[in-house]
């Protein structure tokens, strides 16, 4: 993240200012970036609502959407026995049938965090869970509630 920040913004702190300006242009009013990684820094903050807005914007990028829902990516090595597998840490991709990915996180202060997306039929949802020891179950519950609440009455009746 730092290498990209320095390449784009000249310095990481300048890149963080650019990120904060972009956040404001997207309607994020309670977010300020101080670094490119999201690791703790004085004055670096956001909210669940702002993360949901940012995620909605990011998922419009088809490359981003494809990457965050990828479970495993094999990077070919020089020989077939030197391939390297990258495994997505977002367990929701394996545990929830409608999951379309996004991002896990953890710091001591923030605890377990998950920004997640899911799609069932024509309904797309985003869930943000912060400071939880049960991020995956929390997101599943939120998605189940969201899909049930957004479904037509006839669909609710079919589900029981």
């Amino acid at each position: 993240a730092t290498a990209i920040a320095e390449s784009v913004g000249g310095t990481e702190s300048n890149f963080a200012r650019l990120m904060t300006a972009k956040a404001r242009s997207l309607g994020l009013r309670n977010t300020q970036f101080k670094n490119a990684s999201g690791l703790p820094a004085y004055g670096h903050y956001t909210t669940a609502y702002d993360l949901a807005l940012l995620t909605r914007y990011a998922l419009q990028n088809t490359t981003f959407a494809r990457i965050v829902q990828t479970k495993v990516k094999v990077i070919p090595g020089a020989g077939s026995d030197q391939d390297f597998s990258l495994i997505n840490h977002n367990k929701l991709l394996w545990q929830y049938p409608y999951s379309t990915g996004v991002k896990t996180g953890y710091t001591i202060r923030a605890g377990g965090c998950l920004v997640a997306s899911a799609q069932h039929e024509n309904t797309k949802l985003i869930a943000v869970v912060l400071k939880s020891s049960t991020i995956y179950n929390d997101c599943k519950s939120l998605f189940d509630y969201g899909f049930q609440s957004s479904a037509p009455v006839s669909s609710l009746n079919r589900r029981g």
Side-chain angles (χ1 to χ4, degrees), residues 60-83:
Q60 292 174 28
N61 180 304
T62 56
T63 301
F64 176 83
R66 182 176 33 81
I67 290 169
V68 298
Q69 71 180 347
T70 301
K71 293 180 181 180
V72 178
K73 178 69 176 175
V74 177
I75 308 298
S80 62
D81 61 335
Q82 296 175 337
D83 291 353

Side-chain angles (χ1 to χ4, degrees), residues 2-76:
T2 301
I4 292 170
E6 290 174 350
S7 176
V8 172
T11 65
E12 187 172 14
S13 61
N14 191 51
F15 183 74
R17 282 190 288 279
L18 294 170
M19 288 173 47
T20 300
K22 181 65 174 183
R24 293 290 177 276
S25 76
L26 296 174
L28 285 68
R29 301 290 174 239
N30 296 296
T31 295
Q32 180 171 279
F33 297 103
K34 292 296 181 177
N35 59 50
S37 66
L39 292 175
Y42 181 76
H44 186 99
Y45 59 87
T46 192
T47 64
Y49 181 77
D50 280 5
L51 288 171
L53 290 178
L54 181 60
T55 301
R56 181 178 63 184
Y57 173 78
L59 287 171
Q60 292 174 28
N61 180 304
T62 56
T63 301
F64 176 83
R66 182 176 33 81
I67 290 169
V68 298
Q69 71 180 347
T70 301
K71 293 180 181 180
V72 178
K73 178 69 176 175
V74 177
I75 308 298

Side-chain angles (χ1 to χ4, degrees), residues 60-116:
Q60 292 174 28
N61 180 304
T62 56
T63 301
F64 176 83
R66 182 176 33 81
I67 290 169
V68 298
Q69 71 180 347
T70 301
K71 293 180 181 180
V72 178
K73 178 69 176 175
V74 177
I75 308 298
S80 62
D81 61 335
Q82 296 175 337
D83 291 353
F84 185 77
S85 294
L86 301 173
I87 302 170
N88 194 323
H89 289 272
N90 182 354
K91 294 181 177 95
L92 203 61
L93 289 168
W94 284 271
Q95 296 175 359
Y96 194 75
Y98 310 124
S99 178
T100 55
V102 190
K103 177 75 176 86
T104 63
Y106 178 85
T107 65
I108 292 171
R109 187 169 180 197
C113 301
L114 179 58
V115 176

